[in-house]
Structure formats: structure tokens, C-alpha cells
Amino acid sequence: MTIEAVIFDFGGVLTSSPFEAFSRFETERGLPIDIIRRTNAANHLENAWARFERAEVDIDTFDKLFAEESRALGAEVRGREVLPLIQGDLRPEMVEALKRVKAQFKTGCITNNLPANAIGSMTGRSLYIAEVMVLFDHVIESAKIGLRKPDPRIYQQMVETLKVDPKTCVYLDDLGVNLKPAREMGMTTIKVTSGAQAIAELEAATGLKLR
């Protein structure tokens, strides 16, 4: 089938990965390596992070729950201290690729984000820089709808809104767990590890020159 739509994750795709910031924080504090990522991954559908991204808990509860969950894995990390680490920097080459995709195909963004009033966090609306977000035909934010990836319903909402068959979609995300439901629906998936790699794979999938 020919491609009709390209759907992007935001953080770690259009912005740099927060994992580098996590590593620096752990090194500076003398924390066990990957304690933040391991806390995020444990019980990933119902943990503190998942509940915060669905706006089910407030920041004080998130802070406390994240501390408890990380402590159970070997070292306490306060949730509030993690929030400033996740903003990332825009990848200009990915924004340019998005602009070129937009000229040919429908575009969407599915993002697991935090409530806009998350204190100390840039991951509310302020991160979603206006010039980038207007390039999407539709944006789905987990904190606004109370669903988050990898819940299959969030991908279904996107294809229904864009009025496309999943088999005609390309989906980009930096997390394998979030790619799986899209792939199972029939989408072509790209796991993003760097801007250059993602663009090369997206060029192959769409037939477009994106740089």
C-alpha cells in the first residue's frame, strides 16, 4: 500500500532523548546506573509515571510514588527531581523532515506528556513549540485524554481522526514498547535512535527526500 500518513512521537523523536540527562543526574548524585529508566519501566502501565501521564495523580502524589518505586529498586529518587530532566532539545533536522513530510502526507503526533501545570516541568504546552505543533494535522496528548501509549486505543483514535488505514501509516517512536501496538495494527514502524537514522528510514519508507 502507498503511504498516506506519518505519525510521530514527540519526546525522543522530534527532541533529543532524555536518557542522556538521566545518566548525568545519576552520575552526579552517585545513584545506581539506570535507576530512573528502571523505575519508569517497572509496572510500566500502572506506575507513578503512567498515572501522571494520564493525569490521574497530582504532582505531590507523583513525587511520593516515584520515590517509593525507585527506593524499591535500590535508591530513592524524588519524582520532582526527574521532571526537569525530560524536556530535551528540538532536533532541527527532524523538524525539517516533518515539514517535508507535511507537504505530501497527513501528519499526526501521539505523545505521552505530563499535565501542563506540572511544576518544574517544561513538558506541558510550553514544550510543544508552536511552530512545530502546527505541522501536525492532529495531536493526541495523554494528559488531556487520560490514555497513554502503549494503549492500542490511542493509536486507533489517531487513524480514525486522520481517516486513514493503519497499513498506510508510518509511526516513529524511540521506545520499542510503544511501537509494538502500531506494528500490530499494520503500521510501518521506525524505532528512533538518532535523527540521522530516523530520517534515513523514513526516506526509505516514504520515498521522499527529507534532508
Side-chain angles (χ1 to χ4, degrees):
M1 276 192 179
T2 55
I3 297 301
E4 292 184 64
V6 180
I7 303 165
F8 295 78
D9 172 32
F10 195 86
V13 174
L14 288 158
T15 65
S16 56
S17 171
F19 295 156
E20 296 160 23
F22 290 172
S23 295
R24 283 196 303 273
F25 180 86
E26 289 160 354
T27 301
E28 288 166 5
R29 303 294 178 93
L31 294 164
I33 193 161
D34 280 347
I35 185 70
I36 297 172
R37 289 177 70 174
R38 286 189 287 116
T39 304
N40 286 346
N43 189 26
H44 70 95
L45 298 179
E46 294 299 332
N47 63 13
W49 202 266
R51 293 175 66 191
F52 199 33
E53 287 184 333
R54 291 193 298 256
E56 292 173 1
V57 296
D58 62 16
I59 190 167
D60 292 329
T61 305
F62 167 72
D63 179 63
K64 177 169 154 289
L65 291 174
F66 196 91
E68 291 170 359
E69 291 170 3
S70 58
R71 195 161 58 241
L73 293 175
E76 181 177 296
V77 182
R78 303 300 307 193
R80 285 178 187 274
E81 295 184 326
V82 176
L83 295 180
L85 305 176
I86 65 175
Q87 56 186 305
D89 298 312
L90 272 179
R91 289 170 162 159
E93 71 278 22
M94 288 298 292
V95 176
E96 177 59 29
L98 170 57
K99 288 176 180 175
R100 296 189 184 198
V101 165
K102 166 89 172 159
Q104 299 290 328
F105 304 117
K106 294 180 179 180
T107 54
C109 178
I110 304 175
T111 176
N112 283 354
N113 68 340
L114 304 177
N117 62 352
I119 298 165
S121 167
M122 291 293 288
T123 55
R125 291 302 304 176
S126 57
L127 175 62
Y128 295 77
I129 297 162
E131 67 180 68
V132 176
M133 301 315 277
V134 297
L135 298 173
F136 295 112
D137 295 310
H138 187 55
V139 177
I140 297 179
E141 301 177 63
S142 66
K144 286 194 169 182
I145 66 166
L147 286 178
R148 71 191 284 275
K149 298 174 293 187
D151 190 318
R153 291 174 293 174
I154 206 167
Y155 307 86
Q156 190 61 39
Q157 278 193 25
M158 178 60 77
V159 296
E160 287 175 1
T161 302
L162 292 179
K163 295 182 171 61
V164 290
D165 186 319
K167 295 183 180 64
T168 68
C169 298
V170 180
Y171 177 63
L172 300 91
D173 204 298
D174 62 324
L175 298 177
V177 68
N178 291 339
L179 291 166
K180 187 180 177 187
R183 192 164 53 247
E184 288 174 347
M185 289 174 71
M187 295 187 197
T188 299
T189 58
I190 296 173
K191 183 173 183 181
V192 177
T193 57
S194 71
Q197 163 266 332
I199 291 167
E201 290 192 37
L202 190 54
E203 285 180 330
T206 62
L208 297 181
K209 181 168 175 51
L210 300 176
R211 54 195 152 175

Short mmCIF file of all heavy atoms in Angstrom, two decimals, residues 113-178:
data_model
loop_
_atom_site.label_atom_id
_atom_site.label_comp_id
_atom_site.label_asym_id
_atom_site.label_seq_id
_atom_site.Cartn_x
_atom_site.Cartn_y
_atom_site.Cartn_z
N ASN A 113 2.54 12.79 27.59
CA ASN A 113 3.08 14.01 28.20
C ASN A 113 2.52 14.18 29.60
O ASN A 113 1.76 13.34 30.09
CB ASN A 113 2.78 15.23 27.32
CG ASN A 113 1.30 15.57 27.26
OD1 ASN A 113 0.43 14.74 27.55
ND2 ASN A 113 0.99 16.79 26.87
N LEU A 114 2.92 15.24 30.24
CA LEU A 114 2.52 15.49 31.62
C LEU A 114 1.51 16.63 31.67
O LEU A 114 1.44 17.44 30.75
CB LEU A 114 3.76 15.86 32.45
CG LEU A 114 4.89 14.83 32.43
CD1 LEU A 114 6.08 15.34 33.23
CD2 LEU A 114 4.42 13.48 32.97
N PRO A 115 0.73 16.69 32.73
CA PRO A 115 -0.22 17.81 32.85
C PRO A 115 0.51 19.14 32.69
O PRO A 115 1.64 19.31 33.15
CB PRO A 115 -0.77 17.65 34.27
CG PRO A 115 -0.63 16.18 34.55
CD PRO A 115 0.66 15.76 33.87
N ALA A 116 -0.13 20.08 32.04
CA ALA A 116 0.51 21.36 31.72
C ALA A 116 0.94 22.13 32.95
O ALA A 116 1.80 22.99 32.88
CB ALA A 116 -0.43 22.21 30.86
N ASN A 117 0.36 21.83 34.11
CA ASN A 117 0.71 22.55 35.33
C ASN A 117 1.76 21.82 36.16
O ASN A 117 1.95 22.12 37.32
CB ASN A 117 -0.55 22.81 36.18
CG ASN A 117 -1.20 21.51 36.63
OD1 ASN A 117 -0.81 20.43 36.19
ND2 ASN A 117 -2.20 21.60 37.50
N ALA A 118 2.43 20.84 35.55
CA ALA A 118 3.46 20.10 36.29
C ALA A 118 4.59 21.06 36.67
O ALA A 118 5.30 21.57 35.82
CB ALA A 118 4.01 18.95 35.45
N ILE A 119 4.76 21.29 37.96
CA ILE A 119 5.73 22.27 38.44
C ILE A 119 7.15 21.81 38.12
O ILE A 119 7.50 20.66 38.29
CB ILE A 119 5.56 22.46 39.97
CG1 ILE A 119 4.16 23.00 40.27
CG2 ILE A 119 6.62 23.40 40.53
CD1 ILE A 119 3.75 22.90 41.71
N GLY A 120 7.96 22.75 37.66
CA GLY A 120 9.35 22.43 37.36
C GLY A 120 9.50 21.65 36.07
O GLY A 120 10.58 21.19 35.75
N SER A 121 8.43 21.49 35.34
CA SER A 121 8.48 20.70 34.11
C SER A 121 8.23 21.59 32.91
O SER A 121 7.38 22.47 32.94
CB SER A 121 7.43 19.60 34.17
OG SER A 121 7.27 19.02 32.89
N MET A 122 8.95 21.32 31.83
CA MET A 122 8.71 22.03 30.58
C MET A 122 7.86 21.18 29.64
O MET A 122 7.77 21.44 28.46
CB MET A 122 10.05 22.36 29.91
CG MET A 122 10.87 23.40 30.64
SD MET A 122 10.09 25.02 30.59
CE MET A 122 10.37 25.44 28.87
N THR A 123 7.28 20.11 30.18
CA THR A 123 6.62 19.17 29.28
C THR A 123 5.12 19.38 29.19
O THR A 123 4.42 18.54 28.67
CB THR A 123 6.92 17.73 29.71
OG1 THR A 123 6.54 17.60 31.06
CG2 THR A 123 8.37 17.41 29.53
N GLY A 124 4.63 20.48 29.73
CA GLY A 124 3.26 20.87 29.43
C GLY A 124 3.26 21.54 28.06
O GLY A 124 4.14 21.32 27.24
N ARG A 125 2.30 22.41 27.82
CA ARG A 125 2.20 23.02 26.50
C ARG A 125 3.43 23.83 26.11
O ARG A 125 3.73 23.97 24.94
CB ARG A 125 0.97 23.94 26.45
CG ARG A 125 -0.35 23.23 26.50
CD ARG A 125 -0.54 22.23 25.39
NE ARG A 125 -0.37 22.80 24.07
CZ ARG A 125 -0.41 22.08 22.95
NH1 ARG A 125 -0.58 20.79 23.01
NH2 ARG A 125 -0.26 22.66 21.78
N SER A 126 4.17 24.34 27.10
CA SER A 126 5.30 25.21 26.77
C SER A 126 6.37 24.50 25.94
O SER A 126 7.07 25.14 25.16
CB SER A 126 5.92 25.78 28.04
OG SER A 126 6.33 24.75 28.91
N LEU A 127 6.49 23.19 26.11
CA LEU A 127 7.49 22.46 25.33
C LEU A 127 7.05 22.30 23.88
O LEU A 127 7.85 22.22 22.97
CB LEU A 127 7.72 21.08 25.95
CG LEU A 127 8.66 20.14 25.19
CD1 LEU A 127 10.06 20.73 25.10
CD2 LEU A 127 8.73 18.79 25.85
N TYR A 128 5.75 22.27 23.69
CA TYR A 128 5.22 21.97 22.36
C TYR A 128 5.23 23.23 21.51
O TYR A 128 4.24 23.89 21.28
CB TYR A 128 3.83 21.33 22.50
CG TYR A 128 3.98 20.01 23.19
CD1 TYR A 128 4.19 19.95 24.56
CD2 TYR A 128 4.03 18.84 22.46
CE1 TYR A 128 4.40 18.75 25.20
CE2 TYR A 128 4.24 17.63 23.10
CZ TYR A 128 4.43 17.59 24.46
OH TYR A 128 4.65 16.40 25.10
N ILE A 129 6.43 23.54 21.09
CA ILE A 129 6.72 24.78 20.42
C ILE A 129 5.76 24.97 19.25
O ILE A 129 5.60 24.10 18.39
CB ILE A 129 8.19 24.78 19.97
CG1 ILE A 129 9.07 24.71 21.23
CG2 ILE A 129 8.52 26.00 19.14
CD1 ILE A 129 10.47 24.29 21.00
N ALA A 130 5.15 26.15 19.21
CA ALA A 130 4.05 26.40 18.27
C ALA A 130 4.42 26.10 16.82
O ALA A 130 3.65 25.50 16.09
CB ALA A 130 3.59 27.85 18.41
N GLU A 131 5.63 26.49 16.42
CA GLU A 131 6.00 26.31 15.01
C GLU A 131 6.07 24.84 14.62
O GLU A 131 5.91 24.50 13.44
CB GLU A 131 7.34 26.99 14.72
CG GLU A 131 8.52 26.33 15.42
CD GLU A 131 9.84 27.02 15.12
OE1 GLU A 131 10.02 28.16 15.57
OE2 GLU A 131 10.67 26.40 14.45
N VAL A 132 6.30 23.97 15.58
CA VAL A 132 6.35 22.53 15.29
C VAL A 132 4.95 21.93 15.34
O VAL A 132 4.54 21.19 14.45
CB VAL A 132 7.27 21.80 16.30
CG1 VAL A 132 7.23 20.29 16.06
CG2 VAL A 132 8.69 22.31 16.18
N MET A 133 4.19 22.27 16.37
CA MET A 133 2.89 21.63 16.55
C MET A 133 1.90 21.96 15.44
O MET A 133 1.03 21.15 15.14
CB MET A 133 2.32 21.99 17.92
CG MET A 133 3.20 21.57 19.10
SD MET A 133 3.90 19.90 18.99
CE MET A 133 2.53 18.91 19.60
N VAL A 134 2.05 23.11 14.80
CA VAL A 134 1.13 23.44 13.70
C VAL A 134 1.38 22.58 12.47
O VAL A 134 0.57 22.57 11.54
CB VAL A 134 1.20 24.94 13.30
CG1 VAL A 134 0.78 25.83 14.45
CG2 VAL A 134 2.58 25.32 12.79
N LEU A 135 2.47 21.86 12.45
CA LEU A 135 2.78 20.99 11.31
C LEU A 135 1.98 19.68 11.36
O LEU A 135 1.99 18.92 10.39
CB LEU A 135 4.28 20.69 11.26
CG LEU A 135 5.19 21.90 11.08
CD1 LEU A 135 6.66 21.51 11.23
CD2 LEU A 135 4.96 22.55 9.72
N PHE A 136 1.32 19.44 12.47
CA PHE A 136 0.54 18.21 12.60
C PHE A 136 -0.93 18.46 12.28
O PHE A 136 -1.51 19.45 12.73
CB PHE A 136 0.65 17.64 14.02
CG PHE A 136 2.04 17.20 14.38
CD1 PHE A 136 2.76 17.88 15.35
CD2 PHE A 136 2.62 16.11 13.76
CE1 PHE A 136 4.05 17.48 15.69
CE2 PHE A 136 3.91 15.71 14.08
CZ PHE A 136 4.62 16.38 15.05
N ASP A 137 -1.54 17.54 11.54
CA ASP A 137 -2.97 17.63 11.29
C ASP A 137 -3.76 17.30 12.55
O ASP A 137 -4.87 17.79 12.74
CB ASP A 137 -3.37 16.66 10.17
CG ASP A 137 -2.75 17.06 8.84
OD1 ASP A 137 -2.86 18.24 8.47
OD2 ASP A 137 -2.14 16.19 8.18
N HIS A 138 -3.19 16.46 13.41
CA HIS A 138 -3.87 16.11 14.67
C HIS A 138 -2.83 15.74 15.72
O HIS A 138 -1.83 15.09 15.42
CB HIS A 138 -4.83 14.95 14.45
CG HIS A 138 -5.69 14.64 15.64
ND1 HIS A 138 -6.49 15.60 16.25
CD2 HIS A 138 -5.87 13.50 16.36
CE1 HIS A 138 -7.12 15.05 17.29
NE2 HIS A 138 -6.76 13.79 17.36
N VAL A 139 -3.06 16.19 16.95
CA VAL A 139 -2.17 15.89 18.08
C VAL A 139 -2.99 15.23 19.18
O VAL A 139 -4.07 15.71 19.54
CB VAL A 139 -1.51 17.18 18.63
CG1 VAL A 139 -0.64 16.85 19.85
CG2 VAL A 139 -0.68 17.87 17.56
N ILE A 140 -2.48 14.12 19.72
CA ILE A 140 -3.11 13.47 20.87
C ILE A 140 -2.12 13.52 22.03
O ILE A 140 -0.99 13.03 21.92
CB ILE A 140 -3.49 12.01 20.57
CG1 ILE A 140 -4.54 11.94 19.46
CG2 ILE A 140 -4.03 11.33 21.82
CD1 ILE A 140 -4.95 10.52 19.08
N GLU A 141 -2.55 14.12 23.15
CA GLU A 141 -1.72 14.22 24.35
C GLU A 141 -2.33 13.35 25.45
O GLU A 141 -3.50 13.51 25.80
CB GLU A 141 -1.66 15.66 24.82
CG GLU A 141 -1.08 16.63 23.81
CD GLU A 141 -1.12 18.05 24.33
OE1 GLU A 141 -0.44 18.33 25.34
OE2 GLU A 141 -1.83 18.89 23.75
N SER A 142 -1.52 12.48 26.02
CA SER A 142 -2.02 11.54 27.04
C SER A 142 -2.67 12.25 28.21
O SER A 142 -3.72 11.84 28.71
CB SER A 142 -0.88 10.64 27.54
OG SER A 142 0.10 11.40 28.24
N ALA A 143 -2.06 13.34 28.66
CA ALA A 143 -2.55 14.03 29.85
C ALA A 143 -3.90 14.71 29.61
O ALA A 143 -4.61 15.05 30.55
CB ALA A 143 -1.53 15.07 30.34
N LYS A 144 -4.25 14.90 28.33
CA LYS A 144 -5.53 15.53 28.02
C LYS A 144 -6.66 14.52 27.87
O LYS A 144 -7.81 14.84 28.12
CB LYS A 144 -5.41 16.37 26.74
CG LYS A 144 -4.65 17.66 26.94
CD LYS A 144 -4.87 18.59 25.77
CE LYS A 144 -4.33 19.98 26.11
NZ LYS A 144 -4.55 20.93 25.02
N ILE A 145 -6.33 13.30 27.42
CA ILE A 145 -7.40 12.33 27.15
C ILE A 145 -7.44 11.18 28.14
O ILE A 145 -8.35 10.36 28.09
CB ILE A 145 -7.32 11.78 25.71
CG1 ILE A 145 -6.05 10.94 25.51
CG2 ILE A 145 -7.40 12.90 24.69
CD1 ILE A 145 -6.09 10.12 24.24
N GLY A 146 -6.44 11.11 29.04
CA GLY A 146 -6.47 10.06 30.06
C GLY A 146 -6.11 8.68 29.53
O GLY A 146 -6.39 7.66 30.17
N LEU A 147 -5.47 8.63 28.37
CA LEU A 147 -4.93 7.39 27.79
C LEU A 147 -3.48 7.65 27.44
O LEU A 147 -3.11 8.77 27.09
CB LEU A 147 -5.65 7.01 26.50
CG LEU A 147 -7.05 6.45 26.52
CD1 LEU A 147 -7.53 6.22 25.07
CD2 LEU A 147 -7.12 5.16 27.30
N ARG A 148 -2.65 6.61 27.51
CA ARG A 148 -1.27 6.80 27.11
C ARG A 148 -0.79 5.58 26.35
O ARG A 148 -1.33 4.48 26.49
CB ARG A 148 -0.37 7.06 28.34
CG ARG A 148 -0.16 5.84 29.22
CD ARG A 148 0.50 6.17 30.54
NE ARG A 148 1.91 6.44 30.45
CZ ARG A 148 2.86 5.49 30.49
NH1 ARG A 148 2.53 4.22 30.53
NH2 ARG A 148 4.12 5.82 30.45
N LYS A 149 0.23 5.80 25.52
CA LYS A 149 0.86 4.67 24.85
C LYS A 149 1.47 3.75 25.91
O LYS A 149 1.96 4.25 26.91
CB LYS A 149 1.97 5.17 23.91
CG LYS A 149 1.49 6.08 22.79
CD LYS A 149 2.62 6.66 21.98
CE LYS A 149 3.47 7.63 22.77
NZ LYS A 149 4.48 8.35 21.96
N PRO A 150 1.43 2.45 25.74
CA PRO A 150 1.07 1.69 24.54
C PRO A 150 -0.39 1.22 24.47
O PRO A 150 -0.66 0.20 23.83
CB PRO A 150 2.01 0.49 24.63
CG PRO A 150 2.13 0.23 26.11
CD PRO A 150 2.08 1.60 26.76
N ASP A 151 -1.32 1.91 25.08
CA ASP A 151 -2.73 1.52 24.98
C ASP A 151 -3.15 1.59 23.51
O ASP A 151 -3.07 2.66 22.90
CB ASP A 151 -3.59 2.47 25.82
CG ASP A 151 -5.03 2.01 25.96
OD1 ASP A 151 -5.61 1.55 24.96
OD2 ASP A 151 -5.58 2.12 27.07
N PRO A 152 -3.60 0.49 22.91
CA PRO A 152 -3.95 0.48 21.49
C PRO A 152 -5.01 1.52 21.12
O PRO A 152 -5.06 1.98 19.97
CB PRO A 152 -4.50 -0.94 21.26
CG PRO A 152 -3.90 -1.76 22.35
CD PRO A 152 -3.78 -0.85 23.53
N ARG A 153 -5.83 1.92 22.08
CA ARG A 153 -6.91 2.86 21.76
C ARG A 153 -6.39 4.23 21.32
O ARG A 153 -7.04 4.93 20.55
CB ARG A 153 -7.84 3.03 22.98
CG ARG A 153 -8.66 1.79 23.30
CD ARG A 153 -9.44 1.95 24.59
NE ARG A 153 -8.56 2.04 25.76
CZ ARG A 153 -9.00 2.29 26.99
NH1 ARG A 153 -10.29 2.50 27.21
NH2 ARG A 153 -8.16 2.34 28.00
N ILE A 154 -5.21 4.59 21.78
CA ILE A 154 -4.69 5.92 21.44
C ILE A 154 -4.27 5.97 19.97
O ILE A 154 -4.44 6.96 19.28
CB ILE A 154 -3.54 6.31 22.41
CG1 ILE A 154 -3.42 7.84 22.52
CG2 ILE A 154 -2.21 5.70 22.02
CD1 ILE A 154 -2.53 8.30 23.68
N TYR A 155 -3.76 4.83 19.46
CA TYR A 155 -3.38 4.74 18.04
C TYR A 155 -4.64 4.69 17.17
O TYR A 155 -4.69 5.28 16.10
CB TYR A 155 -2.53 3.50 17.79
CG TYR A 155 -1.33 3.37 18.69
CD1 TYR A 155 -1.44 2.78 19.95
CD2 TYR A 155 -0.07 3.82 18.29
CE1 TYR A 155 -0.35 2.66 20.79
CE2 TYR A 155 1.04 3.70 19.12
CZ TYR A 155 0.88 3.13 20.37
OH TYR A 155 1.98 3.01 21.19
N GLN A 156 -5.65 3.98 17.67
CA GLN A 156 -6.90 3.86 16.94
C GLN A 156 -7.57 5.23 16.79
O GLN A 156 -8.11 5.56 15.74
CB GLN A 156 -7.84 2.88 17.66
CG GLN A 156 -9.08 2.49 16.86
CD GLN A 156 -8.75 1.79 15.55
OE1 GLN A 156 -7.83 0.98 15.49
NE2 GLN A 156 -9.47 2.13 14.50
N GLN A 157 -7.51 6.01 17.87
CA GLN A 157 -8.07 7.37 17.81
C GLN A 157 -7.41 8.18 16.71
O GLN A 157 -8.06 8.94 15.99
CB GLN A 157 -7.90 8.09 19.15
CG GLN A 157 -8.94 7.75 20.18
CD GLN A 157 -8.90 8.73 21.36
OE1 GLN A 157 -8.45 9.86 21.23
NE2 GLN A 157 -9.37 8.28 22.51
N MET A 158 -6.09 8.04 16.60
CA MET A 158 -5.35 8.82 15.61
C MET A 158 -5.76 8.43 14.19
O MET A 158 -6.05 9.31 13.36
CB MET A 158 -3.83 8.63 15.80
CG MET A 158 -2.99 9.37 14.77
SD MET A 158 -3.23 11.18 14.75
CE MET A 158 -2.30 11.67 16.21
N VAL A 159 -5.78 7.14 13.87
CA VAL A 159 -6.10 6.75 12.49
C VAL A 159 -7.55 7.09 12.14
O VAL A 159 -7.85 7.46 10.99
CB VAL A 159 -5.80 5.25 12.21
CG1 VAL A 159 -4.30 4.99 12.34
CG2 VAL A 159 -6.60 4.32 13.10
N GLU A 160 -8.43 7.01 13.13
CA GLU A 160 -9.83 7.38 12.88
C GLU A 160 -9.96 8.88 12.60
O GLU A 160 -10.71 9.29 11.71
CB GLU A 160 -10.70 6.98 14.07
CG GLU A 160 -10.93 5.47 14.16
CD GLU A 160 -11.69 5.06 15.41
OE1 GLU A 160 -12.07 5.96 16.20
OE2 GLU A 160 -11.90 3.85 15.61
N THR A 161 -9.22 9.69 13.35
CA THR A 161 -9.29 11.14 13.14
C THR A 161 -8.67 11.54 11.79
O THR A 161 -9.20 12.40 11.08
CB THR A 161 -8.57 11.89 14.28
OG1 THR A 161 -9.18 11.52 15.52
CG2 THR A 161 -8.68 13.39 14.11
N LEU A 162 -7.54 10.90 11.45
CA LEU A 162 -6.89 11.21 10.18
C LEU A 162 -7.62 10.57 9.00
O LEU A 162 -7.33 10.90 7.85
CB LEU A 162 -5.43 10.73 10.20
CG LEU A 162 -4.47 11.45 11.14
CD1 LEU A 162 -3.08 10.83 11.05
CD2 LEU A 162 -4.40 12.95 10.87
N LYS A 163 -8.54 9.62 9.32
CA LYS A 163 -9.29 8.90 8.27
C LYS A 163 -8.34 8.16 7.32
O LYS A 163 -8.39 8.32 6.09
CB LYS A 163 -10.19 9.86 7.49
CG LYS A 163 -11.29 10.49 8.34
CD LYS A 163 -12.19 11.39 7.50
CE LYS A 163 -13.41 11.85 8.29
NZ LYS A 163 -13.09 12.63 9.48
N VAL A 164 -7.48 7.34 7.93
CA VAL A 164 -6.53 6.54 7.15
C VAL A 164 -6.54 5.09 7.65
O VAL A 164 -6.92 4.82 8.78
CB VAL A 164 -5.09 7.10 7.25
CG1 VAL A 164 -4.97 8.42 6.52
CG2 VAL A 164 -4.65 7.24 8.71
N ASP A 165 -6.12 4.19 6.79
CA ASP A 165 -5.92 2.79 7.14
C ASP A 165 -4.55 2.68 7.83
O ASP A 165 -3.57 3.25 7.33
CB ASP A 165 -5.94 1.94 5.86
CG ASP A 165 -5.87 0.45 6.12
OD1 ASP A 165 -5.11 0.02 7.00
OD2 ASP A 165 -6.58 -0.30 5.41
N PRO A 166 -4.46 1.97 8.97
CA PRO A 166 -3.15 1.82 9.63
C PRO A 166 -2.07 1.30 8.69
O PRO A 166 -0.89 1.64 8.84
CB PRO A 166 -3.44 0.82 10.75
CG PRO A 166 -4.89 0.94 11.03
CD PRO A 166 -5.53 1.29 9.72
N LYS A 167 -2.47 0.48 7.72
CA LYS A 167 -1.48 -0.11 6.80
C LYS A 167 -0.85 0.94 5.89
O LYS A 167 0.15 0.66 5.23
CB LYS A 167 -2.14 -1.21 5.96
CG LYS A 167 -2.59 -2.42 6.76
CD LYS A 167 -3.17 -3.50 5.86
CE LYS A 167 -3.63 -4.72 6.66
NZ LYS A 167 -4.74 -4.39 7.59
N THR A 168 -1.43 2.14 5.85
CA THR A 168 -0.86 3.21 5.03
C THR A 168 -0.11 4.24 5.89
O THR A 168 0.22 5.32 5.42
CB THR A 168 -1.95 3.95 4.23
OG1 THR A 168 -2.80 4.68 5.15
CG2 THR A 168 -2.80 2.99 3.42
N CYS A 169 0.16 3.88 7.15
CA CYS A 169 0.81 4.81 8.09
C CYS A 169 2.22 4.38 8.44
O CYS A 169 2.52 3.18 8.55
CB CYS A 169 0.01 4.90 9.39
SG CYS A 169 -1.67 5.55 9.19
N VAL A 170 3.07 5.37 8.66
CA VAL A 170 4.39 5.16 9.26
C VAL A 170 4.34 5.76 10.65
O VAL A 170 3.81 6.86 10.84
CB VAL A 170 5.51 5.84 8.45
CG1 VAL A 170 6.88 5.59 9.11
CG2 VAL A 170 5.51 5.35 7.01
N TYR A 171 4.88 5.03 11.64
CA TYR A 171 4.88 5.55 13.02
C TYR A 171 6.30 5.53 13.57
O TYR A 171 7.00 4.51 13.50
CB TYR A 171 3.95 4.72 13.93
CG TYR A 171 3.99 5.19 15.36
CD1 TYR A 171 3.57 6.47 15.70
CD2 TYR A 171 4.51 4.39 16.37
CE1 TYR A 171 3.65 6.93 16.99
CE2 TYR A 171 4.58 4.84 17.68
CZ TYR A 171 4.15 6.11 17.99
OH TYR A 171 4.24 6.58 19.27
N LEU A 172 6.73 6.66 14.15
CA LEU A 172 8.08 6.78 14.71
C LEU A 172 8.00 7.00 16.21
O LEU A 172 7.24 7.84 16.70
CB LEU A 172 8.82 7.98 14.11
CG LEU A 172 9.06 8.01 12.61
CD1 LEU A 172 7.93 8.72 11.89
CD2 LEU A 172 10.40 8.69 12.28
N ASP A 173 8.80 6.23 16.96
CA ASP A 173 8.87 6.36 18.42
C ASP A 173 10.25 5.91 18.86
O ASP A 173 10.90 5.12 18.16
CB ASP A 173 7.79 5.49 19.09
CG ASP A 173 7.40 5.97 20.48
OD1 ASP A 173 8.27 5.99 21.38
OD2 ASP A 173 6.22 6.31 20.68
N ASP A 174 10.70 6.40 20.00
CA ASP A 174 12.02 5.98 20.50
C ASP A 174 11.93 4.79 21.45
O ASP A 174 12.96 4.28 21.89
CB ASP A 174 12.76 7.14 21.18
CG ASP A 174 12.03 7.69 22.39
OD1 ASP A 174 10.78 7.73 22.38
OD2 ASP A 174 12.71 8.08 23.35
N LEU A 175 10.71 4.33 21.76
CA LEU A 175 10.54 3.21 22.68
C LEU A 175 9.87 2.04 21.98
O LEU A 175 8.76 2.17 21.44
CB LEU A 175 9.71 3.63 23.90
CG LEU A 175 10.29 4.73 24.78
CD1 LEU A 175 9.32 5.07 25.90
CD2 LEU A 175 11.64 4.31 25.35
N GLY A 176 10.54 0.88 22.04
CA GLY A 176 10.00 -0.31 21.40
C GLY A 176 8.63 -0.70 21.89
O GLY A 176 7.77 -1.15 21.12
N VAL A 177 8.38 -0.51 23.19
CA VAL A 177 7.09 -0.89 23.78
C VAL A 177 5.95 -0.08 23.15
O VAL A 177 4.82 -0.57 23.05
CB VAL A 177 7.11 -0.73 25.32
CG1 VAL A 177 7.20 0.73 25.73
CG2 VAL A 177 5.90 -1.40 25.96
N ASN A 178 6.24 1.13 22.71
CA ASN A 178 5.21 1.97 22.09
C ASN A 178 5.05 1.68 20.59
O ASN A 178 4.03 2.05 20.00
CB ASN A 178 5.54 3.45 22.29
CG ASN A 178 5.41 3.88 23.73
OD1 ASN A 178 4.73 3.23 24.52
ND2 ASN A 178 6.07 4.97 24.08
#
